[in-house]
Amino acid sequence: MNERGSEASAERRATEAKRNAVAELLRVSPLADELARRFSAAGHRLYLVGGSVRDALLGRLSQDLDFTTDARPEQILRLVSGWAEAVWETGIEFGTVGAAKGGTTLEITTFRADSYDRVGRHPDVAFGDSIDGDLVRRDFTVNAMAVDVVTKTFVDPHGGLDALARRSLDTPATPEESFADDPLRMLRAARFSAQLGFDPAPRVVRAMTDMAGEITRITAERVQAELSKLVVGAQPRRGVELMVDTGLAEHVVPEVPGMRLAIDEHHQHKDVYQHSLTVLDQAVELETRHDPTLEPDLVLRLAALLHDIGKPATRRFEPGGGVSFHHHEVVGAKLVRKRLRALRYSKDVVNDVSQLVFLHLRFHGYGKGEWTDSAVRRYVTDAGPLLPRLHKLVRADCTTRNRRKAAALQRSYDDLEARIARIAEEEDLAKVRPDLDGNEIMRLLDVEPGPIVGRAWKHLKEIRLDRGPLDHDEAVAELRRWAAEQGIGPAE
């Protein structure tokens, strides 16, 4: 095909893409048309904009739609009041009115022409008068496209459609200007790489590398939100690698680039960073192997990425060229807890991820099935509700290229899971508790509620884990024996 034919073909593809975007927009009609008529009748323009247009072109338009308009916030309120089923004003100081109708959530924002002091993140909010002025201040060209809802025409002043076709991330203004205005956009570039498989333009990568430290202007809560979206993306490894390669990770999760340990010819071990990325890939694959409808698992993916962050601090060179990482799971769990707290993750996420990191090596003591039933019970009890995730994490942690060794490890874990299932069926492992409850302990020991009851309960639970279920007389005899050893007095 000659150059002219190639250009014509590209133009046809672009035209078709525009038609597809408009067709996808019409899918939400009559809602969008109703809204357009209300704004048009009042003398205002209305555009579907940003991620909504990008997703329409990708064939994945959601029920959350973003619009922009020349109408001011108070005018938007008047136009949607009485039409929408619900209206909220939480973002009105930034020009945004929220509304809901027919199962669709709408955000309608006045054209923006903000300016930034480039010290904090929040701009001095200023309203604009044109769609072009609004689009130039957006983060990436693929998010700087719009559809005029009234005329059903496509608006693309910055080549977003071409960038979308090339799966490229670039900025409407220069990357330096864009990131100086809002450094969070650098992390958003990594997030879009993970979510959509886009490659940042070379000038974007250069600017991210030069300006990585600017991310420290952003609050931990906002950083955490973007990082979480990255981690649950379709290809989280891409986003992590971009963060590490540009130096952004040094200011967000420095423990991840910290896993890139120097390896010399005398002390061979796996590249911990690359190993962790492979574990993340394999955890993502295991998430939906048996159920493709499952949502991405943030806790499992964070644990997969961070499970070995304790290795740099525990690396020891052994005589003869060996390398050890003794207790790296203990150190790693502490580091995970510290980092996730700094990123303002919820208590549940912090506890769950750190516990998975702490437990991820436990299986390697299983060998060829040498564990007693007591050890299996403890494994299940310590994991608690995290057990399904622990199964996936342990399996994902097998990255050896030795097929025979990998197969042996998977068979061993198959055996462990089979034993867990057998013992669970026999003993209801999900509810492992002492064979005497607190009330009976107090009655038998003739004590009031307090520390003695807790100690007795804990002792009986340990016996339960070691020996399995006891009948009532055995449990009472064990309590009496323990009480006598503690000098608590006869439990007659």
Side-chain angles (χ1 to χ4, degrees):
M1 182 181 296
N2 60 32
E3 185 175 342
R4 181 173 297 178
S6 178
E7 290 177 357
S9 177
E11 187 173 342
R12 282 195 300 272
R13 288 196 300 271
T15 301
E16 182 63 24
K18 292 175 185 178
R19 287 181 184 145
N20 289 343
V22 173
E24 185 67 8
L25 169 62
L26 293 175
R27 184 176 68 81
V28 301
S29 292
L31 184 146
D33 281 341
E34 290 176 16
L35 192 61
R37 284 196 295 271
R38 294 179 74 87
F39 275 74
S40 181
H44 295 296
R45 310 298 296 268
L46 184 69
Y47 299 84
L48 187 72
V49 72
S52 293
V53 176
R54 180 199 70 220
D55 289 344
L57 286 163
L58 293 172
R60 42 178 278 175
L61 187 64
S62 73
Q63 293 299 104
D64 296 334
L65 301 179
D66 295 325
F67 294 88
T68 189
T69 178
D70 60 343
R72 295 311 192 240
E74 62 276 7
Q75 295 169 319
I76 299 172
L77 274 174
R78 286 197 297 270
L79 288 167
V80 298
S81 296
W83 174 79
E85 295 158 1
V87 177
W88 53 93
E89 304 177 31
T90 51
I92 199 164
E93 65 177 307
F94 298 106
T96 299
V97 174
K101 186 176 179 67
T104 297
T105 301
L106 318 172
E107 283 197 350
I108 309 167
T109 303
T110 301
F111 292 152
R112 297 276 288 273
D114 303 335
S115 61
Y116 293 79
D117 62 14
R118 299 188 176 181
V119 176
R121 177 185 181 273
H122 295 298
D124 294 324
V125 176
F127 299 135
D129 297 305
S130 72
I131 184 64
D132 286 350
D134 180 90
L135 294 178
V136 75
R137 57 165 289 277
R138 294 181 177 265
D139 54 2
F140 300 105
T141 60
V142 294
N143 296 329
M145 299 178 284
V147 172
D148 187 321
V149 188
V150 177
T151 64
K152 303 298 188 293
T153 56
F154 198 79
V155 182
D156 181 22
H158 303 289
L161 188 62
D162 179 58
L164 194 67
R166 292 183 286 107
R167 308 190 75 79
S168 174
L169 277 179
D170 205 346
T171 51
T174 68
E176 290 78 9
E177 291 177 285
S178 182
F179 298 158
D181 282 347
D182 184 359
L184 190 65
R185 290 170 174 172
M186 295 186 287
L187 188 53
R188 200 172 291 139
R191 188 247 289 186
F192 284 132
S193 182
Q195 278 187 330
L196 303 173
F198 287 6
D199 292 315
R203 69 172 190 160
V204 169
V205 174
R206 285 194 299 271
M208 289 175 67
T209 304
D210 293 341
M211 303 176 67
E214 292 293 302
I215 195 68
T216 57
R217 287 166 41 194
I218 306 302
T219 64
E221 290 82 0
R222 295 299 307 277
V223 169
Q224 180 248 101
E226 286 296 328
L227 180 63
S228 294
K229 291 174 183 176
L230 182 161
V231 171
V232 299
Q235 302 175 70
R237 178 177 187 148
R238 291 176 60 105
V240 172
E241 288 179 324
L242 181 57
M243 287 177 61
V244 171
D245 292 345
T246 57
L248 198 60
E250 295 284 356
H251 306 282
V252 177
V253 277
E255 296 82 2
V256 172
M259 289 189 288
R260 295 182 297 182
L261 300 178
I263 302 172
D264 62 45
E265 60 180 332
H266 302 294
H267 297 95
Q268 290 296 317
H269 60 77
K270 288 180 181 177
D271 182 313
V272 182
Y273 169 64
Q274 291 297 328
H275 163 75
S276 298
L277 292 178
T278 301
V279 174
L280 175 59
D281 283 341
Q282 294 183 167
V284 170
E285 191 274 329
L286 284 169
E287 273 180 355
T288 56
R289 175 176 291 179
H290 301 297
D291 185 355
T293 65
L294 290 177
E295 293 294 316
D297 188 336
L298 175 66
V299 167
L300 174 63
R301 293 184 182 200
L302 285 172
L305 177 62
L306 302 175
H307 74 286
D308 274 348
I309 66 170
K311 278 190 170 181
T314 58
R315 182 172 63 164
R316 297 292 181 270
F317 297 125
E318 305 292 350
V323 179
S324 66
F325 302 95
H326 294 310
H327 305 302
H328 76 267
E329 76 282 11
V330 178
V331 173
K334 291 178 180 177
L335 291 173
V336 164
R337 188 173 291 276
K338 181 179 179 180
R339 177 52 53 198
L340 296 187
R341 281 175 173 167
L343 287 167
R344 303 293 192 270
Y345 275 99
S346 70
K347 183 179 179 180
D348 286 345
V349 170
V350 173
N351 289 341
D352 288 352
V353 176
S354 60
Q355 182 68 353
L356 285 170
V357 171
F358 178 70
L359 293 174
H360 83 275
L361 274 189
R362 184 80 63 86
F363 162 71
H364 294 285
Y366 187 73
K368 296 181 179 179
E370 291 92 345
W371 277 6
T372 62
D373 283 358
S374 170
V376 175
R377 290 188 199 99
R378 289 182 184 278
Y379 187 76
V380 173
T381 302
D382 289 349
L386 295 172
L387 185 63
R389 286 175 168 138
L390 184 59
H391 287 333
K392 293 173 183 175
L393 178 59
V394 172
R395 289 186 181 277
D397 195 24
C398 175
T399 61
T400 179
R401 294 180 182 179
N402 184 319
R403 293 185 179 181
R404 183 175 297 178
K405 183 178 179 181
L409 284 169
Q410 297 298 342
R411 282 196 302 271
S412 291
Y413 208 82
D414 289 343
D415 181 66
L416 174 58
E417 287 201 61
R419 287 184 66 188
I420 289 171
R422 174 182 60 78
I423 297 172
E425 185 177 355
E426 295 171 356
E427 304 178 16
D428 194 5
L429 280 182
K431 299 177 181 178
V432 171
R433 301 178 64 82
D435 296 284
L436 303 176
D437 64 18
N439 290 327
E440 195 161 12
I441 289 171
M442 287 188 288
R443 181 180 63 80
L444 289 167
L445 295 181
D446 192 23
V447 295
E448 297 296 321
I452 289 176
V453 180
R455 286 162 48 203
W457 191 94
K458 184 176 180 181
H459 171 74
L460 289 175
K461 182 175 179 179
E462 292 296 314
I463 296 297
R464 170 75 167 77
L465 288 169
D466 283 337
R467 291 160 45 184
L470 306 178
D471 63 34
H472 185 268
D473 289 344
E474 286 179 314
V476 171
E478 184 55 47
L479 177 63
R480 288 174 173 164
R481 185 194 63 75
W482 175 85
E485 287 179 355
Q486 301 298 308
I488 293 172
E492 299 296 341

